[in-house]
Amino acid sequence: MAGRFASWDSYFWEPGGTVLRNLYGERDAGVLARREYRETARRWDELVTGRVRVPRTYDAEHLRAIHRHLFGNVYEWAGEYRTVGMAKGWSNFAEPSQIDQYLADAARVIHLTDWANLDRREFAAAAARTFAYVNTAHPFREGNGRASKLFMQHVAELSRWRIDYSPKVSGVSAEIWNQASMLSSPDLGSYDPVPGSLVPVFYAMTQPRERPPAPADGSDAGDGSDAGHAAGPASYPRGAGEATGQNPGS
């Protein structure tokens, strides 16, 4: 897999192209975006309702399993780490060689946090710190936002809270979400992300859970029935490949 997708252009149908290679054989960007949206919406619902379950290990493999399920019928590389550098706006995401470390740091934060006893403000801070590592890792060529949002919902199952991404509930628009995510990127020359900008965002999206916290070992994480369907697979829809570009340093 890594050999097949070893360069920026290899993810596209042709060098300099704008449409990602996909299992539909679709070469029209608009058609691909609509088909991807419909497919991931269906697969998202399977995970949220508990009809399909992924092991709650709260680590890189957990995130990869979510991505694999969401995008497995769309992209050959679903669930596989990207092999190229990527950037969005003024933020560069982790180099491919750093992805595992950032996700390991996210897992460390999760496993060292007493989620079941956090109040709303403490939960928002812990969720922001966890997500900042996951977002900086940005491990996949496409679909990072959808996979990481669902991953964070699974993390929230460990607490008395849930995350509702609906702007109607939280007031968090796509612009606010994207700006806070970009501001959480590590400072120039630094490794650790800066999650402060994300704390008020997660606070606004935090709602009480109807179910008790799940055990930390993931043995009874529930069926996702209170996960919040408003947090759909593409809360802020866009065409495949539009949001990110090649890291100029790659």
Side-chain angles (χ1 to χ4, degrees):
M1 183 71 69
R4 176 170 169 78
F5 298 101
S7 68
W8 183 260
D9 283 335
S10 66
Y11 284 93
F12 299 91
W13 287 116
E14 64 277 324
T18 58
V19 181
L20 294 169
R21 290 181 179 271
N22 58 85
L23 297 176
Y24 302 130
E26 183 57 62
R27 293 171 180 260
D28 182 286
V31 174
L32 174 60
R34 290 190 292 274
R35 294 187 70 174
E36 180 198 278
Y37 181 87
R38 288 194 298 268
E39 174 63 15
T40 55
R42 181 179 68 83
R43 305 282 275 186
W44 172 286
D45 193 62
E46 290 175 345
L47 292 174
V48 166
T49 59
R51 283 179 288 151
V52 173
R53 291 180 57 82
V54 297
R56 302 297 207 268
T57 51
Y58 309 105
D59 57 8
E61 188 48 46
H62 184 166
L63 181 62
R64 293 176 70 175
I66 291 172
H67 191 274
R68 191 176 300 118
H69 184 75
L70 290 177
F71 294 93
N73 290 338
V74 183
Y75 300 117
E76 180 182 345
W77 39 262
E80 301 296 328
Y81 291 162
R82 57 182 166 84
T83 62
V84 295
M86 292 203 311
K88 182 177 181 180
W90 61 79
S91 302
N92 290 332
F93 298 116
E95 288 299 318
S97 61
Q98 297 177 303
I99 290 173
D100 260 328
Q101 185 58 56
Y102 275 106
L103 294 182
D105 286 334
R108 175 179 52 81
V109 173
I110 294 168
H111 290 293
L112 290 177
T113 299
D114 184 11
W115 295 93
N117 292 309
L118 300 183
D119 64 25
R120 183 179 180 184
R121 195 169 300 281
E122 292 168 336
F123 172 82
R129 188 178 180 205
T130 302
F131 177 77
Y133 278 107
V134 174
N135 185 60
T136 301
H138 232 68
F140 312 113
R141 177 57 188 84
E142 170 68 15
N144 289 282
R146 281 163 279 184
S148 61
K149 285 178 181 179
L150 190 48
F151 178 75
M152 291 305 301
Q153 285 188 339
H154 287 179
V155 172
E157 291 171 356
L158 298 170
S159 76
R160 297 180 292 118
W161 309 97
R162 64 181 177 87
I163 301 170
D164 195 321
Y165 297 103
S166 170
K168 292 181 179 179
V169 174
S170 67
V172 177
S173 65
E175 291 74 22
I176 293 172
W177 172 265
N178 290 332
Q179 183 180 46
S181 296
M182 284 192 286
L183 289 173
S184 71
S185 298
D187 292 332
L188 185 64
S190 299
Y191 170 83
D192 290 315
V194 185
S197 60
L198 288 164
V199 174
V201 171
F202 273 96
Y203 186 85
M205 297 188 300
T206 297
Q207 300 293 323
R209 269 171 57 83
E210 297 172 5
R211 299 172 61 97
D217 62 5
S219 58
D220 184 25
D223 61 3
S225 58
D226 65 349
H229 287 263
S235 302
Y236 313 127
R238 51 176 171 70
E242 285 182 7
T244 51
Q246 186 174 19
N247 182 337
S250 298

